[in-house]
Amino acid sequence: MIRSIRILFVLLLSNFFLHAQQISNYKYISPIPNSEFVSKETNIIIRYGDKISRQSISSLCNISIVGSASGSHETNIILSDDDETIVLNVPVPFYPNEIVNVHFNPDVRTIGGTRIPMLDFSFKISPLQNRIGYSVIKSEEEILPLKNEPVENKFLVTTEDTLPADFPKIIVKNNNNPTPGYIFITTSAKVAGVGYYAMMIKDDGKPYWYKKFDNHYPADFKMQPNGMLSYADMMNDYYYAGGGEAVHKLMDSTYTVVDSFKMGNGYVADGHDFKLLPNGHALLFAYDLQQVDMSKIVPGGNPAAMVAGSIIQELDANKNVVFQWRSWDYIPIVESYFDLTLAAFDPIHANTITQSNDGNIIASFRNLSQVIKIDKSNGNIIWRLGGKKNQFTFIGEHAENAPLYFSRPHGVVELPNGNIMLFDNGLDHSPKYSRAVEYKIDETNKTATLVWEYKHPDGVYGATQGSVQRLSNGNTLICWGSAPMTKLTWPSVTEVKPNGSITSELFFENKGILSLHAFKYLWKVKNYTSVTEQEILKGNEYTFNCEGDSTYVTLKINNFSGSGYNSVTVSNYSTATIKPEFIDVAPIVLNRRLTISANEIDGINAEISIEAIKSLGVNDPKAIVIYHREHEGSGVFTPLSTSYNFITKRLTATFTKFGEFVFATPVVNTTANPPLLISPADSSSVNQSLSVKLKWTPLGYAGKYHLQIASDYYFQNIITNLDGLAEAFFQINSVNASSTYYWRVRTTNISSTSDWSKTFSFITAAPGIVVTYPDGSEKLQKGLKYYIRWKDNIDEEVIIEL
């Protein structure tokens, strides 16, 4: 007996050294061998240390991954782009508290021909923890009751007419020569005796115009760059976040709804923000609610939490999705400052989107306390300002607020000089206060220098909502969001000069009124300068300026045809064009346009020259191209051969037809990228008695999609081959039973066609439910809380019987 024990001990010791030697041969292994508390959805990462031959990866065969309770697991093998790291993705999660044994002995070789050594190791999956009870929560944002009935349009222009009994009582104080224009504002909270209104308010507090909404509140009422009005027509509210599902509607100068905008790819737009760009495109975003097992992410996390991601889209002039960005692909949930143990929550919460001066996207994310710049060519993050992943050094900021110098921001804008301005709600400041703040951004050295801020002398604090707007005369309009809901003496809107002196403040006398945003615009006033020159002669040069009116335009008449007494008129507009179209990818268009018309002139060949910096308000005009179309408000813009004179600061181009002119920077990088496949998840099981919806998301500029579905991995037996799909999803109405399908997608835009995406597969199976916890072997203690877990592929609700 003693001899047998000694022999067994020697064998065990030999195995120990053998495993230790195997492990020491590798540069990196994850999970760490013999580790505990490993996530049940872990993948396995192995890095030998030398470059791996990609051809040898195809010969992977001798791999075994076995859970002590869940049994054998299939795996997807990936060689990372560093050509060193092998990733084993395990599609089916492991069981809690089980031991997983990995045997790795494939014929994988380095680029030098060396076969990498065999590897055996094990790790233990984390057991279930006791979690807090399930309770659906309201967000930190104001939650409003569900309202989804249709709205009767009530366009009312008021002078001294009798206002409705439920019209909010508004007073204006400190009225000291404010910037001309009307304040655009809404009542966006349920207050007894007060209706839901979108309003234009004059300097004296009286309404110039209002629209009443009978069954729900409006949001985001503003003027778009082309001079049209828009508002978010809310359909219903989120139970897990502020805001709600909306359709963004566009009104003309008669207050008639002439267009509406919705999200594509199956998403429903949120009502926080909508931008109609000068090139005819539109920016919108949505919240995407998904079930996430937060118990694997944070202590106390709910295993069935409903978690919202943020989806940003750009629609082209035909309302096709040409760009989409998902926070799921770039932002880990743990970067949020929100309570991640709740049952339903929004950890990201996009609330503002805007186009940057260079044509990319800048967005603010409240619950990250962060502003992010996104590259529209590929979806990658260019920089991150604030929050847990801040990349900037703040200069001149308040040290007491570090590291969150701004907290839970709203209303971010990029100013023409490249500075970033935002509304700092200040939720995490101590003491709490809100402010408008402006930073000079150095993208190269990653510095953010505080150049201006405004804190109200009364310590106004709006925990939610809010906006900022830099006005044409340098003043700043600040909406304090939810501040009046806290104190009736706090203003809803303040306009201040650069030195911080108040020019005007708007108050609601009704306590509890909330305004998401407030803006100020000139409305129904002359928005252009027009100059006419008489008796034009060939070879002459004409400057279209006169006393009090300057278009900054000079025309050199090379040739023309016509008879009689002629004239040429140049009009320079301070708003963008309506319904622009372009023959190529829509460029980055400035918020400015010209029209040139004539009398008694049939044909023209002339050189247009414009003072770029004075007229267009740009600091670096060298990349700007002048575009032309023959008819104002319709037709396709084509680029003119444009030159820029660094000495005279003028843009010059030759044209041969009168019409409309805009100024834009062409988009350079529009290479199509393969999309990311979303669902069904790779190698997942779907219900064979139901339809299957395939979903993907583009990376960068997108146009149309080419989808292939096959019965084999190499797509030699293609079942579906659809090119020219406009939406990033496709529904298979029926599938074969007990079958495996493979699918892939590629993107085509006006510049190119991408490579194929990764190939995903799914397996069809009979409808069923499998309880994964408890499975009958556990001992549950009275007085504690446990979660019942299951997997299913059905659409119906599940009945739980204990």
Side-chain angles (χ1 to χ4, degrees):
M1 178 65 69
I2 295 175
R3 183 179 180 181
S4 299
I5 292 174
R6 285 175 178 171
I7 294 173
L8 178 61
F9 177 76
V10 171
L11 289 174
L12 291 175
L13 191 62
S14 298
N15 286 335
F16 171 81
F17 285 117
L18 176 62
H19 292 316
Q21 183 178 3
Q22 289 178 0
I23 292 168
S24 66
N25 287 328
Y26 283 85
K27 186 176 181 181
Y28 177 76
I29 300 172
S30 175
I32 296 173
N34 301 317
S35 59
E36 299 185 46
F37 306 109
V38 177
S39 167
K40 69 187 178 91
E41 293 190 4
T42 186
N43 61 6
I44 297 164
I45 303 173
I46 300 169
R47 187 181 306 130
Y48 177 58
D50 291 339
K51 298 287 186 181
I52 300 296
S53 167
R54 286 191 173 270
Q55 289 74 18
S56 71
I57 290 292
S58 62
S59 65
L60 282 168
C61 57
N62 193 1
I63 299 175
S64 173
I65 301 175
V66 180
S68 59
S70 60
S72 180
H73 286 254
E74 294 184 358
T75 181
N76 301 317
I77 302 101
I78 300 171
L79 178 61
S80 179
D81 57 9
D82 64 2
D83 288 334
E84 291 186 8
T85 306
I86 297 172
V87 180
L88 307 179
N89 284 328
V90 184
V92 179
F94 298 107
Y95 284 5
N97 215 32
E98 71 172 338
I99 295 175
V100 178
N101 291 290
V102 178
H103 174 71
F104 183 75
N105 188 28
D107 187 17
V108 174
R109 298 180 181 272
T110 68
I111 57 176
T114 302
R115 179 175 176 172
I116 66 174
M118 180 180 68
L119 179 63
D120 287 281
F121 67 97
S122 62
F123 53 86
K124 189 174 183 181
I125 301 299
S126 173
L128 282 177
Q129 303 295 322
N130 297 322
R131 306 300 184 192
I132 60 172
Y134 188 98
S135 60
V136 174
I137 55 94
K138 292 185 177 182
S139 164
E140 295 173 22
E141 298 276 16
E142 177 67 12
I143 303 301
L144 306 175
L146 189 69
K147 303 163 288 291
N148 53 15
E149 298 180 14
V151 175
E152 177 187 357
N153 288 332
K154 293 187 176 180
F155 299 117
L156 302 172
V157 178
T158 65
T159 52
E160 296 300 324
D161 61 334
T162 302
L163 293 173
D166 63 352
F167 195 85
K169 294 179 174 57
I170 298 173
I171 58 172
V172 171
K173 299 179 181 179
N174 304 314
N175 198 349
N176 181 22
N177 194 29
T179 306
Y182 301 125
I183 293 177
F184 285 54
I185 197 168
T186 60
T187 55
S188 301
K190 186 174 180 61
V191 176
V194 178
Y196 298 128
Y197 288 92
M199 304 166 284
M200 297 182 195
I201 303 301
K202 297 186 288 187
D203 289 341
D204 60 4
K206 294 179 181 179
Y208 169 78
W209 173 92
Y210 63 85
K211 171 179 169 63
K212 183 176 181 181
F213 295 76
D214 287 340
N215 300 297
H216 62 76
Y217 66 95
D220 196 37
F221 178 43
K222 61 192 173 192
M223 183 188 295
Q224 295 293 342
N226 64 3
M228 302 181 79
L229 309 179
S230 70
Y231 64 90
D233 196 356
M234 308 297 294
M235 296 182 293
N236 54 58
D237 304 308
Y238 307 125
Y239 69 89
Y240 57 88
E245 295 177 335
V247 175
H248 295 275
K249 295 188 174 179
L250 200 64
M251 297 190 294
D252 64 13
S253 60
T254 68
Y255 311 106
T256 300
V257 174
V258 294
D259 206 350
S260 62
F261 292 81
K262 303 176 182 179
M263 294 277 283
N265 294 342
Y267 298 103
V268 180
D270 173 73
H272 273 81
D273 198 8
F274 164 74
K275 296 293 195 313
L276 186 60
L277 304 179
N279 65 358
H281 288 207
L283 294 178
L284 318 86
F285 62 84
Y287 299 145
D288 178 33
L289 201 62
Q290 299 288 343
Q291 184 168 307
V292 177
D293 185 352
M294 291 301 298
S295 66
K296 299 181 304 184
I297 298 175
V298 294
N302 191 296
M306 300 305 296
V307 181
S310 291
I311 313 296
I312 296 174
Q313 287 183 353
E314 179 177 345
L315 309 183
D316 66 11
N318 296 315
K319 299 180 182 175
N320 298 310
V321 179
V322 294
F323 175 84
Q324 180 171 288
W325 184 91
R326 307 186 323 143
S327 64
W328 299 112
D329 304 322
Y330 299 93
I331 310 293
I333 296 173
V334 293
E335 291 185 19
S336 177
Y337 290 94
F338 211 83
D339 185 350
L340 304 184
T341 64
L342 300 170
F345 61 94
D346 180 5
I348 310 296
H349 197 79
N351 56 35
T352 314
I353 44 172
T354 189
Q355 180 173 264
S356 62
N357 296 337
D358 59 8
N360 292 301
I361 290 176
I362 294 176
S364 64
F365 298 90
R366 171 180 168 82
N367 292 331
L368 298 176
S369 283
Q370 192 167 79
V371 175
I372 295 178
K373 186 173 183 179
I374 300 167
D375 189 334
K376 277 206 320 192
S377 69
N378 53 28
N380 291 338
I381 292 175
I382 297 174
W383 51 251
R384 306 177 71 175
L385 177 67
K388 295 180 181 179
K389 295 295 183 179
N390 170 56
Q391 297 175 316
F392 286 77
T393 299
F394 285 84
I395 300 173
E397 258 289 10
H398 302 281
E400 67 273 15
N401 290 332
L404 288 181
Y405 294 106
F406 61 84
S407 168
R408 313 300 177 101
H410 276 80
V412 65
V413 294
E414 185 180 34
L415 301 177
N417 63 3
N419 288 1
I420 296 294
M421 186 170 66
L422 57 87
F423 181 70
D424 176 13
N425 288 88
L427 184 68
D428 299 301
H429 295 337
S430 181
K432 291 178 171 58
Y433 64 89
S434 300
R435 62 174 176 160
V437 60
E438 178 184 348
Y439 298 105
K440 180 180 180 181
I441 299 297
D442 184 335
E443 293 187 330
T444 302
N445 297 308
K446 292 294 189 298
T447 59
T449 303
L450 181 100
V451 295
W452 184 84
E453 68 173 344
Y454 178 77
K455 296 185 287 186
H456 199 281
D458 294 339
V460 176
Y461 169 62
T464 66
Q465 319 296 345
S467 63
V468 291
Q469 179 191 15
R470 181 61 46 82
L471 303 175
S472 59
N473 61 358
N475 289 1
T476 302
L477 192 80
I478 306 165
C479 173
W480 298 100
S482 62
M485 300 182 72
T486 305
K487 287 186 179 182
L488 192 59
T489 57
W490 281 349
S492 180
V493 182
T494 301
E495 181 184 330
V496 297
K497 294 181 179 180
N499 63 8
S501 61
I502 296 174
T503 64
S504 179
E505 292 194 288
L506 184 149
F507 294 78
F508 288 110
E509 291 189 15
N510 311 83
K511 185 176 181 179
I513 291 181
L514 168 73
S515 296
L516 173 63
H517 299 147
F519 304 100
K520 185 173 242 189
Y521 307 102
L522 290 170
W523 175 243
K524 289 197 173 182
V525 297
K526 182 182 176 182
N527 63 349
Y528 64 92
T529 297
S530 186
V531 177
T532 300
E533 289 288 340
Q534 312 285 348
E535 298 186 67
I536 297 297
L537 298 176
K538 176 183 175 180
N540 283 0
E541 187 172 277
Y542 299 89
T543 300
F544 286 78
N545 298 330
C546 62
E547 187 176 351
D549 285 317
S550 180
T551 68
Y552 302 99
V553 171
T554 298
L555 294 184
K556 180 182 178 182
I557 309 300
N558 299 323
N559 201 357
F560 74 94
S561 60
S563 60
Y565 183 77
N566 66 52
S567 65
V568 173
T569 300
V570 175
S571 299
N572 189 331
Y573 291 80
S574 61
T575 55
T577 183
I578 294 176
K579 296 182 179 179
E581 297 178 57
F582 298 88
I583 59 175
D584 206 336
V585 175
I588 306 162
V589 181
L590 298 180
N591 192 20
R592 177 74 62 172
R593 66 187 180 95
L594 298 176
T595 61
I596 303 178
S597 59
N599 288 318
E600 303 297 330
I601 295 180
D602 301 323
I604 186 75
N605 182 297
E607 183 181 88
I608 179 176
S609 175
I610 184 168
E611 294 183 45
I613 296 177
K614 287 183 179 180
S615 177
L616 305 181
V618 293
N619 295 322
D620 188 10
K622 64 178 179 294
I624 292 177
V625 173
I626 301 175
Y627 287 72
H628 165 266
R629 65 181 175 185
E630 189 173 358
H631 303 290
E632 182 181 2
S634 65
V636 178
F637 281 102
T638 57
L640 303 178
S641 180
T642 306
S643 61
Y644 176 65
N645 188 312
F646 289 88
I647 305 301
T648 64
K649 311 296 184 186
R650 300 184 74 91
L651 288 165
T652 303
T654 299
F655 66 96
T656 57
K657 290 183 179 181
F658 296 106
E660 186 177 19
F661 301 79
V662 296
F663 308 90
T665 304
V667 176
V668 177
N669 186 5
T670 58
T671 303
N673 299 307
L676 294 177
L677 306 189
I678 301 174
S679 63
D682 192 19
S683 302
S684 60
S685 175
V686 302
N687 190 335
Q688 63 194 26
S689 63
L690 300 175
S691 60
V692 179
K693 190 171 186 178
L694 309 180
K695 294 183 67 176
W696 57 91
T697 186
L699 293 177
Y701 288 98
K704 302 293 184 180
Y705 303 99
H706 186 180
L707 166 69
Q708 288 186 343
I709 306 172
S711 60
D712 67 295
Y713 180 83
Y714 297 101
F715 287 83
Q716 295 177 347
N717 183 21
I718 295 177
I719 301 170
T720 300
N721 187 25
L722 293 174
D723 202 355
L725 294 174
E727 297 273 23
F729 64 85
F730 177 76
Q731 184 163 299
I732 308 173
N733 291 325
S734 62
V735 292
N736 295 327
S738 303
S739 301
T740 301
Y741 290 83
Y742 299 86
W743 62 289
R744 62 186 183 180
V745 184
R746 62 183 178 185
T747 302
T748 297
N749 61 28
I750 199 165
S751 297
S752 62
T753 297
S754 74
D755 293 332
W756 289 105
S757 66
K758 293 181 179 180
T759 297
F760 272 22
S761 67
F762 60 88
I763 303 169
T764 62
I769 303 173
V770 177
V771 177
T772 59
Y773 185 88
D775 64 3
S777 61
E778 298 84 358
K779 293 182 180 180
L780 307 183
Q781 181 177 340
K782 183 178 180 181
L784 299 179
K785 295 179 180 179
Y786 298 90
Y787 290 104
I788 298 173
R789 300 175 186 246
W790 66 90
K791 297 178 181 177
D792 69 71
N793 61 0
I794 62 175
D795 275 354
E796 295 82 4
E797 294 182 349
V798 174
I799 298 174
I800 299 176
E801 293 183 352
L802 298 179

